[in-house]
């Protein structure tokens, strides 16, 4: 039951985009279509989970024993970049269709601050490995949910009348703010 509470907390109450403001670049930049958002979300779920696993192991079996925790951010960035590159190479060889489906999303994830942010939060919250992975999965699912909902709203906005002064980024930012307020309604639902 604890893991279900963590996932509900991560997806709805403490959404990585709408509550913590991590991953705003892909949220605003890639969310023009629902299909694009789903692709980006799937790639983030995979990379965020894998990077959380590897960075957790690096932290507990390399940085902490050597007492070089101050290098955490640099090491985590390098690990995430290397993981994304390895995943890209492996997918290209093993599953070219999946590689084509993910397309430009894998390289974009290298610069997604949400991936680094969640890896650091797992260490800061002193989660166990399994709890940290559940938290990372929940956060990445929350990222995907926010992206898909926002993309759906943006598709509807394109079909609707928008005043001249609100066209483009102004209406997008207002919509993002309203979506964030909607997610604030889940506050207090679950505490971890």
């Amino acid at each position: 039951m604890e893991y279900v509470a963590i996932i509900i907390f991560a997806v709805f109450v403490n959404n990585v985009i709408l509550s913590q403001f991590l991953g705003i670049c892909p949220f605003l930049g890639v969310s023009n279509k629902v299909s694009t958002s789903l692709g980006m979300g799937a790639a983030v779920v995979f990379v965020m989970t894998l990077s959380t696993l590897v960075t957790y192991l690096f932290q507990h079996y390399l940085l902490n024993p050597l007492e070089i925790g101050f290098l955490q951010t640099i090491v985590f960035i390098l690990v995430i970049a290397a993981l994304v590159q390895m995943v890209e190479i492996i997918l290209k060889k093993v599953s070219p269709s999946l590689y084509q489906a993910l397309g430009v999303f894998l390289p974009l994830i290298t610069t997604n601050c949400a991936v680094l942010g969640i890896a650091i939060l797992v260490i800061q919250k002193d989660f166990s490995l399994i709890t940290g992975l559940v938290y990372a999965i929940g956060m990445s699912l929350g990222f995907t949910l926010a992206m898909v909902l926002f993309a759906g709203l943006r598709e509807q906005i394109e079909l609707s009348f928008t005043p001249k002064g609100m066209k483009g980024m102004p209406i997008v930012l207002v919509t993002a703010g309203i979506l964030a307020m909607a997610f604030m309604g889940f506050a207090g639902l679950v505490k971890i």
Side-chain angles (χ1 to χ4, degrees), residues 78-150:
L78 292 173
V79 165
I80 291 167
L83 274 174
V84 170
Q85 290 304 310
M86 284 182 0
V87 166
E88 193 171 1
I89 291 168
I90 291 169
L91 279 179
K92 197 174 192 178
K93 297 244 186 240
V94 174
S95 178
S97 60
L98 182 58
Y99 175 74
Q100 289 296 331
L102 291 176
V104 72
F105 300 126
L106 276 175
L108 280 176
I109 293 172
T110 305
T111 59
N112 187 345
C113 61
V115 176
L116 175 63
I118 298 310
I120 291 173
L121 280 172
V122 165
I123 301 302
Q124 285 178 348
K125 292 179 180 285
D126 200 29
F127 285 144
S128 68
L129 179 59
I130 301 300
T131 306
L133 288 174
V134 170
Y135 183 74
I137 290 168
M139 284 299 210
S140 59
L141 291 174
F143 179 92
T144 304
L145 177 66
M147 288 277 293
V148 170
L149 287 174
F150 192 58

Side-chain angles (χ1 to χ4, degrees), residues 3 8 14 16 37 57 63 65 75-76 90-91 103-106 116 121 125 132 139 142 156 177 179 182 187 191:
Y3 297 136
I8 291 171
N14 200 20
V16 70
S37 296
L57 296 174
L63 298 178
V75 170
F76 283 15
I90 291 169
L91 279 179
V104 72
F105 300 126
L106 276 175
L116 175 63
L121 280 172
K125 292 179 180 285
M139 284 299 210
Q156 288 298 313
L179 185 61
K191 294 208 186 262

Side-chain angles (χ1 to χ4, degrees), residues 8-188:
I8 291 171
F9 176 79
V11 172
F12 297 108
V13 178
N14 200 20
N15 187 284
V16 70
I17 294 175
L18 301 172
S19 294
Q20 296 185 9
F21 307 111
L22 294 173
I24 295 293
C25 291
F27 179 67
L28 294 175
V30 184
S31 62
N32 293 330
K33 293 185 196 172
V34 172
S35 60
T36 311
S37 296
L38 276 172
M40 181 66 168
V44 166
V45 169
F46 180 72
V47 170
M48 193 178 287
T49 304
L50 186 62
S51 67
T52 300
L53 170 68
V54 174
T55 54
Y56 182 92
L57 296 174
F58 262 79
Q59 181 72 36
H60 288 300
Y61 296 108
L62 180 71
L63 298 178
N64 288 350
L66 296 176
E67 297 180 4
I68 53 173
F70 58 91
L71 293 174
Q72 179 188 57
T73 304
I74 295 169
V75 170
F76 283 15
I77 290 171
L78 292 173
V79 165
I80 291 167
L83 274 174
V84 170
Q85 290 304 310
M86 284 182 0
V87 166
E88 193 171 1
I89 291 168
I90 291 169
L91 279 179
K92 197 174 192 178
K93 297 244 186 240
V94 174
S95 178
S97 60
L98 182 58
Y99 175 74
Q100 289 296 331
L102 291 176
V104 72
F105 300 126
L106 276 175
L108 280 176
I109 293 172
T110 305
T111 59
N112 187 345
C113 61
V115 176
L116 175 63
I118 298 310
I120 291 173
L121 280 172
V122 165
I123 301 302
Q124 285 178 348
K125 292 179 180 285
D126 200 29
F127 285 144
S128 68
L129 179 59
I130 301 300
T131 306
L133 288 174
V134 170
Y135 183 74
I137 290 168
M139 284 299 210
S140 59
L141 291 174
F143 179 92
T144 304
L145 177 66
M147 288 277 293
V148 170
L149 287 174
F150 192 58
L153 291 171
R154 286 184 74 174
E155 285 181 357
Q156 288 298 313
I157 288 171
E158 289 298 317
L159 300 173
S160 303
F161 169 76
T162 306
K164 186 178 178 183
M166 291 296 288
K167 284 194 184 291
M169 197 50 67
I171 192 69
V172 168
L173 293 174
V174 168
T175 305
I178 292 170
L179 185 61
M181 287 192 300
F183 269 70
M184 286 176 61
F186 293 113

